[in-house]
Amino acid sequence: MSFETTFNPHSEQAAQRRDAMLARIAQLRALEDRAAQASARSAPVFHQRGQLLPRERIGLLLDPGAPWLPLCSLAGFLQDSKDPEKSVPGGGMLAGIGFISGVRCMVVASDSGIEAGAIQPRGLEKILRVQEMALENQLPFVHLVESAGANLMKYQVEGFVLGGGLFRNLARLSAAGLPVITVQHGSGTAGGAYMPGLSDVVIMVRGRSRAFLAGPPLLMAATGEVATEEELGGAEMHTGISGLGEYLAEDDREALGIARRVVDQTGWQARPATPAEPPRFDADDLLALMPPHHREPVDMREVMLRITDASDLLEFKPLYGAATVCAQAHIGGHAVGLISNNGPIDVAGANKATHFIQWMCQLGHPIIYLQNTTGYMVGKDSEQTGMIKHGSKMIQAVTNATVPQITLQCGASFGAGNYGMCGRGYAPRFLFTWPNARTAVMGGEQAAKTMQIVAEAGLARKGIATDTPEVQAQMKNQFDAIVQKFESQADAFSTSGLVLDDGVIDPRDTRAVLSFCLDTIAEAAQRQPRRMQFGVARM
């Protein structure tokens, strides 16, 4: 059964929704630009040293005009400062998937224009996440390193302990047969020295690269020994004596050129993609489909029509569990299954989704979840008809699906609906968020009302009247505080700052992002890395 659009992009309601979405997108771009500007303020120092800024390095490393998918660009937002006007997102590093000499790679660069590239807590989570993505999608890992290491003034023991996972993942990548290539643009001290140490190929820059377990100040404090930085860990020493580096470059540009040649020699170039027929409806409509407050119904098939090849949908069980929408389609030439929500997930919807997930696993088609739900249905009827067991059945299907899964949070992502629709806790290959999306155990007003009912019942048990002005004022203050707490944490920029997604995207870019991810997944399925028991050991 084919679905035809009923959406009017010229209505007053559409205009209001479009303006609200565009305002959020402008805010997103301003935050990303704030990080770029903060880094660019170091340009005079970098250029005086003959160095390129981190974003300039990435620009020279990547193939001109090729797609680039930035990841976790809001990591750390509101974590360095609670003032949204002062917080600088990014986690102190840049990350994304792009093409180097025709090879799709995971690229990570220290944003050394900010705090000398010191690793921030959410930056650590960011790099751990993208390392896992590289492993799962069989991507070479290219690391542009220039980091002051951990900021000792902001030292936290959990960061030190969990930071070991960064080095563990480098070993796992190499052992999985995935090339790990490091360009050491600047310092790598203490634990940072293990970044090149656990790489398959290391490129160093004369006079700039440094890698040592203890720099001159720590060495003197620990042993009393006096040594220069070059003697301890300079580029010439490591490429000529210790063997930590394979290639010695004269400057950043030459180092990046060598990196491109190294990647080119892997022979991992992808096959040319077959062009797919575009949707019949304008992607700009996606700006106006979603209400900013999620209290108005949305037919998510309208979203599907604007991201799928030729806007051609084959809906699965359209008359059964109608609030849960399942459909087969193609995106960028890839056959996919789509699951979304036009309301809460009821018993029929949970059973329908479970059936559809298993059908996609049998066909070997990736599943894309378009989240827009307040959760699983509650109430006497739902409980008596087995909502818990049927919802659990759907969660089991999501958990154990044998095909790649991609999640896009388009609207509400509340309660267990976040779980059943493959939220972050269920390890989708990729998870992106629209700027208007909200994630929470429940809405702020629902949470506040729940607590109000509980509080009133508690006072009643104690024989305290709840209708006095004093009690009512206290209840009102508590209600407002709970709403504010829930609403601020549910915001898409706040959750992205906690690295609970892989990035916030412009809705108009949805098809391009999904196509890019599906291409990445398809390439991973075709690649046959030569797996080893151990990573490449440095000699």
Side-chain angles (χ1 to χ4, degrees):
M1 180 183 295
S2 181
F3 175 74
E4 291 297 328
T5 184
T6 59
F7 175 68
N8 177 9
H10 306 295
S11 68
E12 182 179 350
Q13 182 189 64
Q16 292 172 348
R17 291 179 178 181
R18 184 180 294 108
D19 290 345
M21 184 68 82
L22 286 171
R24 290 291 283 175
I25 293 170
Q27 187 180 357
L28 167 64
R29 297 296 176 238
L31 288 171
E32 292 174 334
D33 190 52
R34 184 186 299 171
Q37 290 179 7
S39 184
R41 283 196 283 272
S42 300
V45 175
F46 273 68
H47 295 161
Q48 185 178 17
R49 297 189 306 223
Q51 289 187 292
L52 298 170
L53 285 166
R55 286 165 178 78
E56 294 173 329
R57 292 168 183 167
I58 290 178
L60 284 176
L61 178 69
L62 296 173
D63 295 348
W68 164 250
L69 179 63
L71 298 169
C72 306
S73 63
L74 295 190
F77 180 58
L78 296 180
Q79 303 304 300
D80 56 336
S81 168
K82 293 304 179 184
D83 185 347
E85 300 302 317
K86 295 181 179 178
S87 179
V88 178
M93 65 180 61
L94 306 165
I97 301 174
F99 290 86
I100 303 171
S101 300
V103 180
R104 191 186 302 263
C105 300
M106 180 66 75
V107 179
V108 175
S110 310
D111 198 347
S112 45
I114 300 174
E115 294 185 358
I119 297 176
Q120 302 174 20
R122 299 301 174 185
L124 173 60
E125 291 185 31
K126 177 174 177 173
I127 193 170
L128 292 174
R129 168 60 183 155
V130 300
Q131 285 178 325
E132 289 292 344
M133 293 171 79
L135 275 167
E136 195 167 26
N137 294 287
Q138 303 200 94
L139 298 171
F141 191 83
V142 182
H143 200 178
L144 310 183
V145 176
E146 183 175 34
S147 173
N151 186 334
L152 295 182
M153 296 300 293
K154 299 178 181 178
Y155 169 77
Q156 293 178 314
V157 68
E158 63 268 28
F160 157 67
V161 174
L162 298 176
L166 188 164
F167 311 122
R168 174 177 178 267
N169 284 340
L170 293 176
R172 293 171 66 205
L173 284 159
S174 182
L178 304 171
V180 179
I181 300 164
T182 289
V183 180
Q184 190 79 29
H185 289 281
S187 294
T189 307
Y194 287 105
M195 293 181 190
L198 288 161
S199 300
D200 301 336
V201 174
V202 176
I203 301 150
M204 292 190 157
V205 180
R206 190 190 306 274
R208 297 305 321 164
S209 298
R210 299 283 187 271
F212 29 59
L213 296 179
L218 179 57
L219 182 68
M220 179 177 289
T223 69
E225 183 179 355
V226 177
T228 67
E229 287 192 344
E230 179 59 41
E231 290 171 329
L232 279 176
E236 293 181 57
M237 188 280 285
H238 279 311
T239 54
I241 299 175
S242 78
L244 180 65
E246 278 66 56
Y247 300 98
L248 178 62
E250 294 302 319
D251 56 24
D252 282 351
R253 291 178 182 274
E254 185 182 6
L256 295 165
I258 294 171
R260 288 182 53 80
R261 292 176 62 190
V262 171
V263 174
D264 182 54
Q265 291 301 314
T266 63
W268 283 32
Q269 285 76 7
R271 303 171 188 168
T274 303
E277 188 174 348
R280 291 185 287 118
F281 302 98
D282 197 335
D284 279 356
D285 293 348
L286 296 174
L287 295 172
L289 278 167
M290 304 301 295
H293 46 64
H294 312 303
R295 291 176 186 148
E296 299 169 18
V298 176
D299 191 337
M300 293 300 289
R301 289 173 294 191
E302 298 284 4
V303 174
M304 294 179 182
L305 288 180
R306 288 158 178 82
I307 64 174
T308 53
D309 296 356
S311 301
D312 186 20
L313 302 177
L314 176 62
E315 193 168 351
F316 182 79
K317 290 181 182 285
L319 303 180
Y320 179 80
T324 298
V325 180
C326 301
Q328 289 178 256
H330 286 75
I331 296 179
H334 300 279
V336 298
L338 297 160
I339 302 178
S340 192
N341 327 102
N342 285 344
I345 305 170
D346 57 15
V347 167
N351 280 317
K352 172 180 175 176
T354 301
H355 184 175
F356 186 72
I357 291 167
Q358 293 175 344
W359 171 228
M360 291 301 99
C361 289
Q362 187 178 67
L363 296 177
H365 293 175
I367 301 170
I368 297 173
Y369 299 84
L370 305 175
Q371 289 192 0
N372 181 44
T373 183
T374 53
Y376 286 93
M377 185 68 79
V378 296
K380 183 176 68 175
D381 290 343
S382 293
E383 298 289 4
Q384 291 180 356
T385 51
M387 187 70 260
I388 295 172
K389 69 178 182 182
H390 295 299
S392 298
K393 187 163 53 182
M394 178 179 171
I395 289 173
Q396 286 183 334
V398 172
T399 302
N400 297 298
T402 55
V403 294
Q405 300 179 101
I406 301 173
T407 299
L408 183 68
Q409 293 182 327
C410 301
S413 179
F414 292 160
N418 176 276
Y419 304 161
M421 289 294 292
C422 202
R424 175 62 110 199
Y426 289 78
R429 285 281 188 105
F430 299 93
L431 189 154
F432 294 98
T433 305
W434 281 2
N436 62 293
R438 302 187 75 78
T439 304
V441 66
M442 63 182 73
E445 291 188 5
Q446 289 87 345
K449 187 63 177 177
T450 299
M451 293 305 297
Q452 185 179 43
I453 293 170
V454 171
E456 288 176 347
L459 291 173
R461 284 194 300 271
K462 296 176 182 178
I464 300 174
T466 60
D467 57 356
T468 64
E470 294 80 6
V471 172
Q472 287 295 308
Q474 185 179 0
M475 290 284 190
K476 177 66 166 56
N477 291 337
Q478 183 184 55
F479 186 96
D480 292 343
I482 293 173
V483 170
Q484 194 280 329
K485 181 177 182 178
F486 270 72
E487 293 303 316
S488 63
Q489 292 188 56
D491 183 83
F493 296 169
S494 295
T495 53
S496 193
L498 294 168
V499 200
L500 296 178
D501 61 23
D502 298 323
V504 180
I505 65 170
D506 186 325
R508 294 168 292 187
D509 295 334
T510 300
R511 175 175 165 82
V513 169
L514 291 176
S515 296
F516 188 96
C517 292
L518 290 165
D519 287 344
T520 303
I521 289 168
E523 277 186 33
Q526 295 299 318
R527 283 180 174 168
Q528 296 182 334
R530 298 180 182 275
R531 299 181 183 277
M532 304 182 294
Q533 186 176 2
F534 297 99
V536 174
R538 307 209 57 79
M539 299 300 175

